[in-house]
Amino acid sequence: SLALFYENKLIEAVFHSSSGGRTENSGQVWKYQLPYLRSVVDYDQNSTKYRWSKEIRSSELDQIFSDLGGLNSIQIIKKSNSDRVLKVRLYGPKGTKIISGQTLRKNLNLLSNKFNLDLKFDQINLDYKYKSNNKIVEHFVPQTLPTIPAGYFLLVKGSGAGHGVGMSQWGAKSLAERGASFRQILKHYYTGVQIRTY
């Protein structure tokens, strides 16, 4: 049978569903950067999860971030070269904290940590506020860190599914459909590897 080697050692052939256009360096997701797990172009545009979005209501955010007393605002402070969120700063009534993109992914149950965040509000509430009190308009001047009043929601727009390291299943499928051999596909996703009998 055949196996994948890097410098005469068997590789850890990790894979994921789809990367959203570019796979990730292992060192951005896990502790070690392995020489064969480097960021490469992905061909996963046909993935059902290539682009996705999710709305999270302020009431849900209050429960998820109860230690902060809810969420007033949220800011992405560090991204990887392949646009994955590495660090996020959370602001709540009870304080602020910095968490990893992976932790936020878990907390919000997201498909990947390749996403952007947007604060939105319900148009109906907003119209009502404009009519009932004209002074409120001042509060909607965009600031660097807008707060989320009740009835707001967090819109998460993301791409890909999984950690994004190694071989992309949707990308491999697409390359195979274009006529690439299994050797070409494996060598594309695992940089500098040899395929030989084991």
Side-chain angles (χ1 to χ4, degrees):
S1 62
L2 294 171
L4 289 163
F5 291 87
Y6 185 87
E7 290 181 350
N8 296 322
K9 287 191 185 123
L10 281 168
I11 74 158
E12 204 166 325
V14 294
F15 59 91
H16 58 278
S17 174
S18 79
S19 75
R22 187 161 192 97
T23 69
E24 184 60 284
N25 288 308
S26 65
Q28 298 277 27
V29 176
W30 300 306
K31 203 171 173 182
Y32 303 108
Q33 176 56 53
L34 295 170
Y36 51 85
L37 293 179
R38 300 212 174 276
S39 176
V40 296
V41 172
D42 195 8
Y43 301 92
D44 64 323
Q45 288 75 12
N46 294 334
S47 162
T48 51
K49 306 289 180 351
Y50 183 66
R51 293 278 179 271
W52 50 264
S53 67
K54 183 175 185 176
E55 286 180 11
I56 301 151
R57 299 259 143 210
S58 48
S59 54
E60 275 182 79
L61 295 167
D62 289 348
Q63 289 174 340
I64 297 166
F65 303 108
S66 56
D67 57 330
L68 292 173
L71 201 59
N72 284 345
S73 91
I74 185 166
Q75 185 187 30
I76 293 170
I77 51 176
K78 194 180 178 196
K79 280 192 164 190
S80 74
N81 294 341
S82 74
D83 213 31
R84 283 178 174 77
V85 176
L86 299 178
K87 277 199 180 124
V88 174
R89 191 182 274 120
L90 306 170
Y91 296 81
K94 292 182 187 169
T96 70
K97 79 173 172 182
I98 291 174
I99 62 169
S100 72
Q102 283 163 286
T103 301
L104 187 71
R105 179 190 165 187
K106 248 183 241 148
N107 288 347
L108 302 181
N109 198 16
L110 305 174
L111 288 168
S112 74
N113 65 328
K114 190 171 189 171
F115 55 78
N116 285 305
L117 302 168
D118 209 354
L119 300 173
K120 299 270 182 193
F121 37 84
D122 296 339
Q123 200 57 48
I124 309 140
N125 292 359
L126 186 62
D127 289 345
Y128 173 71
K129 282 174 186 167
Y130 273 125
K131 282 173 197 152
S132 63
N133 176 358
N134 290 326
K135 284 182 190 164
I136 202 105
V137 173
E138 292 161 30
H139 294 301
F140 290 97
V141 174
Q143 291 156 341
T144 45
L145 292 166
T147 56
I148 316 177
Y152 269 52
F153 58 88
L154 183 65
L155 177 64
V156 188
K157 285 186 174 176
S159 31
H163 50 62
V165 181
M167 188 172 68
S168 150
Q169 290 170 306
W170 277 94
K173 179 179 185 285
S174 174
L175 283 171
E177 283 163 1
R178 293 181 196 192
S181 69
F182 80 92
R183 288 172 188 274
Q184 286 171 318
I185 294 168
L186 291 169
K187 288 193 169 200
H188 173 70
Y189 288 106
Y190 303 113
T191 309
V193 296
Q194 292 85 45
I195 302 163
R196 48 174 213 261
T197 51
Y198 177 59

